[in-house]
Amino acid sequence: MKNKDAYPPKISIVIPIYNEAEALRTVVAALQDVLDEVDISYELLCVDDGSTDDSLEKLIAAQTECNELQIIELSRNFGKEAALSAGLDHARGDAVIPFDADMQDPPDLIPKMIEQWKAGFDVVLARRRNRSSDTWLKRATAWAFYRTHNVLADVTIPADVGDFRLMDRKVVEAVRSMPEQRRFMKGIFAWVGFRTTILDYERRERHAGKSSWPFWQLWNLALEGITSFSMLPLRLWSYVGLFIAVLSFIYGSAIVIRTFVYGVDVPGYASVFSAVLFLGGLQLLCLGLLGEYVGRIYGEVKRRPVYVVRRQYDPESLKPPPSPLE
């Protein structure tokens, strides 16, 4: 392994892009300003995740002015987790930093991350001090997700830590070696482990555009995270079924004893109807949960690729061909 101080290594900044045309020029310029001040070589790897605006065209235009800018164009929109996976697969740096194009994460934290990496840490996490830039609903749901996930799952995800982090090459290779087709990257990052430190920061308001993460997609991502790293929901329903069976046995025994003592009376239809609805609802909920896990198995066994690359752009490919007279 080469000495990091003697040989300034390359840093790869991976930026998933989906309809971020308004912010791209600012993002590239801000990252260039920060990284040019650090005595280290770098690349900016933008992954266009099937944008429907002119994000790709603006990236190509910016590439003529930035030799460090590389572009991966996916064949359609596969989702941020797939775009991030594509970035990790194509990144060439000795360390990789995922970075969101909304500019809510500060680029000026990157030099501090690099310092901690050179100090010997394999992973440098960026943690928000607060979520004041989010709506109250997003703050509440984020709080509930992290607490619920960390209670149910075998792997603990650090609260208020997003994809913004620095990962050493060996961490990236460990992540890439994991064969999941349906990927919950925060959980995968936490699962691989390695020596980790945390930097706290203030998250900013979104620079431009609007979020492409509606509540329903966030809910599905949260469900994906819990079912990817925990079998407890399935086990829980076994305990629920056992508890209801014990209660039913106790209640049935009480009815038999009362019949022997007081004789037969007319049972209440309301209570029977409520019990049937309650147990039917539990059964459907259990089937839905079981179906979620079976669906994950179905998705995995097909072994489809996580993403498909349509084209890769680099500055050399955009240069005009040499003149025949040269």
Side-chain angles (χ1 to χ4, degrees), residues 100 102-105 127-144 146 159-162 186 201-207 211 213 218:
D100 289 342
D102 56 18
M103 289 285 288
Q104 288 189 278
D105 300 322
R127 181 174 60 190
R128 308 171 194 175
R129 289 196 179 94
N130 58 67
R131 304 185 71 99
S132 58
S133 60
D134 295 335
T135 63
W136 70 267
L137 178 61
K138 193 169 183 180
R139 289 197 298 269
T141 53
W143 182 90
Y146 284 115
D160 300 323
V161 173
K186 291 184 182 67
Y201 73 100
E202 297 288 343
R203 202 161 198 244
R204 305 168 177 173
E205 296 288 340
R206 186 180 179 87
H207 174 73
S211 174
W213 285 90
L218 290 173

Side-chain angles (χ1 to χ4, degrees), residues 261-305:
V261 175
Y262 297 105
V264 179
D265 59 352
V266 179
Y269 291 103
S271 60
V272 173
F273 186 66
S274 299
V276 170
L277 288 179
F278 174 70
L279 292 176
L282 282 182
Q283 289 172 341
L284 290 175
L285 186 60
C286 184
L287 282 175
L289 182 63
L290 186 61
E292 186 69 30
Y293 281 92
V294 172
R296 291 190 59 81
I297 297 172
Y298 175 67
E300 292 293 330
V301 298
K302 288 185 291 186
R303 307 304 296 170
R304 291 176 181 169

Side-chain angles (χ1 to χ4, degrees), residues 1 4 94 122 167-175 194:
M1 182 177 180
K4 295 175 184 176
D94 293 335
D122 302 311
M167 295 176 288
D168 187 83
R169 169 50 58 181
K170 57 178 170 286
V171 181
V172 174
E173 293 303 321
V175 170
F194 291 95

Side-chain angles (χ1 to χ4, degrees), residues 190-210:
W191 187 90
V192 296
F194 291 95
R195 191 181 179 198
T196 302
T197 188
I198 298 176
L199 296 176
D200 292 320
Y201 73 100
E202 297 288 343
R203 202 161 198 244
R204 305 168 177 173
E205 296 288 340
R206 186 180 179 87
H207 174 73
K210 60 180 181 179

Side-chain angles (χ1 to χ4, degrees), residues 4-5 113-121 195:
K4 295 175 184 176
D5 294 324
M113 289 179 161
I114 295 174
E115 288 178 6
Q116 293 298 313
W117 174 53
K118 289 183 175 181
F121 289 99
R195 191 181 179 198

